[in-house]
């Protein structure tokens, strides 16, 4: 039996750990051989492959990134895409495919499964916004990086008299902001699920200063004010088609400065959050996802993906992951609000 | 309403974060005032207290240790212990008690609840061996520290030709060894639940050397060989009543050297694993335990303790935590064995 | 003998370690007592003090920030400033002053020394741009933080096809960019001392992409293009008096995107670089500066400051530190250029 | 021109960074080609080589260990060793050799230079005990690891009532213990240069407990009591030829427990200190050593080695590094003693 493996979508610590676990178990335990597909769905679409055996996965466990490369190629957006994939898999003698990726990658996997391809999925999202699993790998690492940044700002906040803003990842879901803000002891946490009132933010800022401490604000890149600009995140084009300078972090700095008269400084963590070595927890989760994915291939659980439920790895239908975005529950956000101001 | 708080047993990153969350929510949300009891059950037993208000908990979130101190005092081992505690609580006007601790501390809490004291528990064990909850805070931090040590040994293992042994915590349960060994890519993991065969260990060592890599062994301090010495862990007295030099890590080094002729070196992490700032995940868990513990007081859920189930914090009976040690399931250990040798 | 201590200027890891070492040696060794002045020169100017004894400095070694607070108050910009300071010192019975700070703080110290005040200085600058000393504490910590960010970007750079930009501190000197860029393996390093040619930057970017790696650019906040806008750093006002959105990092992203057609993403580390616990090296340096500063008081070396020369701490005239900015030598920058592209 | 490169002696973070810098500058700047010799002097002795070009050094900067391997092979201990090396170098067309290593490796390099081989050296010792250079790479990393361990013990020391002992590297020189002990705020530092009085150690321990803090002791593996056992370090054989269990850390624990009645716990960091990614400072130093070593080859500075003097890299005679061990100056140790007890 020959099994193809691919990784799609944005970078995420733990991708390599999944690949390693698949191969380290699949070769000796099931006698499978493996083929790596390059750059997500571009791999099977263009028969772009690389060897994937035990020597190829040595040393991968702690390494960020993905040796297979990634892309956002969507075979369903390409004429004959599905046929080409099926033909290539047949020509390459690939009997089953393990697709490691987020909403888009798993969406394609679901459709390919419906089209008769033997697919097993492994969910991946640094933002933790996929349904069907308690957590995905990469998220814990990102939260750790953001928390360490907040920790460092605390001492500066105590010595000086500035508002300190940290813009973290999360276009549609505020998980990273919420977890790192709670873990770092932020004074205000702003997430996409709950549009913010800039006046309320300024009231928290002023309350904090009255305690002789400087406020620290953690904000998801996708957070938006209640009224006004539709979206402020980095990379967005403005009305003239120019790339907008600065995202919501800069917006907050400007607004708070002009409304409270206090200086504000912004840290934008950016891609730092999705790179580097995975945390021990993410390595544990990624490794177990890999082990269970290859078991699922052996058990022919096509159309299913690995998922974490409590401390167990279970298999759930691929469609479950992509049916709706997992956003922050208002009740959970309310837990954090007790620390605001 | 006045609420007493105490911490018992060994040190564990996150204790202070629990205390902070209890106070930060209890004061503004419920209007409670708080009294800190010093050094575990010694506090209520001897009316040893300290003030516990919002200023007292500032800056506690990232700090290891516990501002309340700890001890292993057991009021049930002391004449009139329970009566003295009840009398002291009454004299101090304490209506309810939050006990943060492990098996012993929560065991006392259960008995005090049976004796009519209003107690809510928060489970704590760095070893992750308490039942009733998916995880406890402190464990993720300890695993992270052990994993980082293993990471560092890998480069040395590649450049040299020695067996490298890491002895980690875990007298009765191998959770830290298993998680850090999986996350760090150890070649052999030895845990108390599965007595090891020293000849099999040496076969793995030799197999690893044949691949031109040096083996890394992670061993719980409580791991034991199948036959022979009853227990090898540090601090144990030998037949002459002397403190034994070296624990199971040193034992392995000596045995492997004499059986394989390869040099072996041991790292004993010791208390380093239970100190320092909690990981972001442990801060999240500890903070949520604190928030739900004070909610439980408000809801008069006496005799219950906070527990993690998946992503939810729930309340379970105190007795559930202490009824049996949560040890590593053989099926989970078998998952790791695919990476041995 | 009573010795006053103050800290001025921006935050810098190691300030507390200096304060601790002064007190820990000064009390038992010389029998001095100490007075802490609050918020830099505001302290002696307004007789704003706090107690400073051995219990007050417990636990300070690893803590970022400064327990004394800081400010940019300049007594020479205030009428009667010097007289008020001399009067307050006399009234408080302060015989000597240890001033810990950067260019501004030490400039004031020099003038006060000329006016007859017994002053010893300790140089502090996170940017490493003070003359008279090989290094200052805080710099190694900042470089470490920036290097870790670059490390994390490398894996993302390999998996994706974007230009990754890191904006680090350094308004006038490129030390942090140069050291972290060399240590992190950046492909381009831009510093204030060498205005950059945006076309050359784009040529390096394209050369790097031809090797199938994404380029990582480290840029000092004070770096400027050869021609065009005078200054691009964050916080700068634009022609309309508005706070400019985005600094040189955003400028580079926009220019590179429009010239090469490649996506670019910017990380702005900001105040994260000046907060948190000092590195082991900075603690060593700060501690030794503190020990030698109090020795200098005992030896009445007024008008002198501590300095690092090789592995030795020596005393140099205060004026030496402030006479000129220590910028990056072109020959040293040329060493780094071998790694560009 | 063809240049051979080898690494000898124990593992040390930064070795790969030196190799990378040599090649990254030597190829484009001087048009050299390179040959890697495997496992220290075994490489030239047995003509054991590996390719060493720009692709071979990609990604090496942050990686611990050495891609060239290492050994303690001494060609002068082998009949005809020098002749074989000279013949092999000639056969392989190697015109010059860069030897990266410690006392032994550089001692051989010195003798080979005297025998007419074109050698340039790069000093390496994690223990920082080589003369002729302010610091060597790897040392800062080791100090950082030991300091982090001490940091973590502090919270445990506060919560509990145990003596905490950390055994660090340093058989003949106490640099790691001294730097990490100062940076970590240890209460007692014991180094090989100053034999300790166990009664004085116990007096410090008891003084510390009287302040209601638990003492933290940092001890070099080569530290010895004033009288009694000659050497206690790990791996030593006892009178019966058995490997001794436990080193000086265990010895201290046993002695302190029996003399003071207080429990003591030992952490033995071992090889963890010499593995893993180099600190930013060590990468900077290692990279500059590599750049200057290849410049020295171009300038035919045979028999010289790179050295750090202040902030400059200079060339010094190879013999200078090995003429005497650089030990801790009593005056420097005395600086630390102010913090004891």
């Amino acid at each position: 039996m020959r099994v193809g493996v691919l990784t799609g979508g944005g970078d995420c610590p733990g991708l390599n750990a999944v690949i390693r676990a698949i191969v380290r178990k699949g070769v000796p335990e099931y006698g499978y051989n493996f083929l790596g597909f390059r750059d997500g769905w571009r791999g099977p679409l263009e028969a772009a492959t690389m060897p994937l055996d035990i020597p190829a996965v040595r040393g991968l466990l702690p390494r960020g990134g993905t040796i297979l490369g990634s892309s956002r190629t969507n075979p369903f957006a390409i004429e004959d895409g599905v046929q080409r994939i099926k033909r290539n898999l047949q020509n390459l003698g690939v009997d089953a495919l393990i697709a490691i990726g987020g909403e888009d990658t798993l969406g394609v996997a679901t459709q390919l499964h419906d089209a008769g391809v033997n697919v097993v999925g492994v969910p991946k999202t640094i933002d933790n916004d996929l349904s069907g699993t308690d957590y995905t790998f990469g998220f814990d690492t990102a939260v750790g990086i953001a928390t360490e940044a907040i920790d460092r700002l605390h001492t500066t906040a105590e010595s000086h008299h500035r508002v300190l803003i940290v813009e973290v990842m999360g276009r549609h879901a505020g998980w990273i902001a919420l977890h790192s803000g709670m873990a770092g002891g932020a004074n205000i946490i702003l997430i996409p699920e709950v549009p913010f009132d800039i006046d309320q933010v300024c009231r928290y800022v002023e309350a904090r200063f009255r305690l002789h401490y400087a406020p620290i604000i953690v904000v998801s890149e996708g957070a938006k004010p209640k009224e006004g600009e539709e979206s402020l995140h980095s990379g967005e084009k403005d009305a003239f088609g120019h790339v907008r300078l600065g995202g919501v972090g800069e917006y907050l700095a400007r607004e708070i400065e002009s409304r409270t008269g206090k200086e504000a400084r912004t840290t934008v963590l950016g891609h730092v959050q999705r790179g580097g070595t995975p945390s021990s927890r993410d390595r544990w989760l990624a490794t177990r996802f890999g082990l269970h994915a290859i078991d699922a291939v052996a058990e022919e659980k096509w159309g299913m993906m690995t998922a974490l439920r409590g401390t167990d790895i279970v298999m759930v239908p691929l469609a479950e992951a992509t049916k709706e975005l997992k956003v922050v529950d208002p009740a959970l956000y309310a837990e954090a609000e007790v620390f605001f101001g």
Side-chain angles (χ1 to χ4, degrees), chain A:
Chain A
M1 172 120 158
R2 167 168 280 193
V3 182
V5 182
L6 65 85
T7 55
D11 204 10
C12 190
L15 287 168
N16 278 326
V18 178
I19 299 167
R20 165 187 176 265
I22 289 170
V23 175
R24 285 293 299 271
K25 180 160 196 182
V27 171
E29 196 98 348
Y30 297 115
Y32 296 159
N33 70 71
F34 290 90
L35 196 64
F37 283 107
R38 289 182 183 280
D39 301 338
W41 292 111
R42 189 182 77 76
L45 201 61
E46 303 180 8
T49 66
M50 61 181 283
L52 193 59
D53 52 14
I54 285 183
V57 301
R58 276 213 194 287
L60 281 197
L61 176 58
R63 277 177 54 192
T66 160
I67 54 162
L68 298 177
S70 184
S71 76
R72 299 197 182 273
T73 302
N74 181 349
F76 287 93
I78 290 165
E79 204 179 319
D80 268 344
V82 177
Q83 298 319 314
R84 282 167 60 189
I85 285 183
K86 293 178 87 166
R87 204 164 48 234
N88 283 334
L89 293 181
Q90 194 165 15
N91 292 344
L92 293 162
V94 171
D95 308 292
L97 211 49
I98 300 178
I100 311 164
E103 208 183 349
D104 295 342
T105 306
L106 298 184
V108 170
T110 310
Q111 289 176 278
L112 281 178
H113 169 65
D114 294 342
V117 179
N118 294 337
V119 188
V120 161
V122 174
K124 177 232 66 164
T125 154
I126 202 141
D127 292 337
N128 198 37
D129 57 3
L130 276 179
S131 292
T133 182
D134 284 358
Y135 291 103
T136 42
F137 58 87
F139 172 66
D140 185 62
T141 306
V143 170
I145 294 165
T147 301
E148 196 192 316
I150 301 168
D151 277 0
R152 292 197 170 273
L153 293 180
H154 270 289
T155 55
T156 293
E158 283 165 30
S159 309
H160 290 274
H161 312 294
R162 285 172 176 162
V163 182
L164 296 169
I165 300 161
V166 189
E167 185 184 308
V168 299
M169 288 188 307
R171 297 224 159 185
H172 308 294
W175 292 109
I176 293 177
L178 183 66
H179 275 246
S180 65
M182 283 272 271
N187 307 108
I188 306 168
I189 301 170
L190 305 175
I191 61 174
E193 292 87 338
V194 185
F196 61 83
D197 173 349
I198 187 74
D199 293 317
Q200 175 59 40
V201 169
C202 291
R203 279 193 294 274
Y204 283 137
V205 162
E206 283 164 341
R208 181 78 182 160
F209 276 122
R210 277 194 298 275
L211 292 169
H212 300 288
Y213 289 92
I216 295 178
I217 304 176
V218 178
V219 57
S220 304
E221 60 184 331
K224 285 180 286 287
K226 267 187 178 155
E227 302 189 3
E229 305 190 53
E230 269 307 283
S231 169
L232 296 151
H233 60 64
S234 305
E236 205 63 28
K237 299 279 194 302
D238 69 11
F240 305 95
H242 298 115
V243 173
R244 184 186 295 280
L245 294 183
V248 63
E250 285 291 345
Y251 167 83
L252 282 168
R254 189 184 55 198
E255 293 297 319
I256 293 170
E257 286 191 344
S258 69
R259 285 157 194 253
T260 67
K262 297 285 185 181
E263 265 190 284
R265 288 286 178 276
T266 300
T267 290
V268 181
L269 286 176
H271 276 49
V272 166
Q273 294 160 89
R274 57 189 336 139
T277 194
S279 72
S280 54
R281 184 171 170 78
D282 279 338
R283 295 189 201 173
W284 167 262
L285 182 56
T287 296
R288 294 193 71 204
F289 272 2
L291 297 176
H292 284 255
I294 195 65
D295 288 347
V297 167
E299 295 161 16
E300 305 197 352
K301 295 188 174 168
W302 313 126
M304 306 288 277
M305 70 167 201
T306 58
L308 177 70
R309 294 280 167 85
T311 61
D312 294 327
I313 309 297
V314 299
M315 299 305 295
V316 301
L318 268 170
E320 206 171 300
T322 55
K323 70 181 175 203
E324 60 175 340
L325 204 72
K326 184 175 68 181
V327 293
V328 173
D329 184 326
L332 192 59
Y333 186 67
E335 280 192 18
E337 282 182 295
V338 74
F339 300 105
F340 285 11

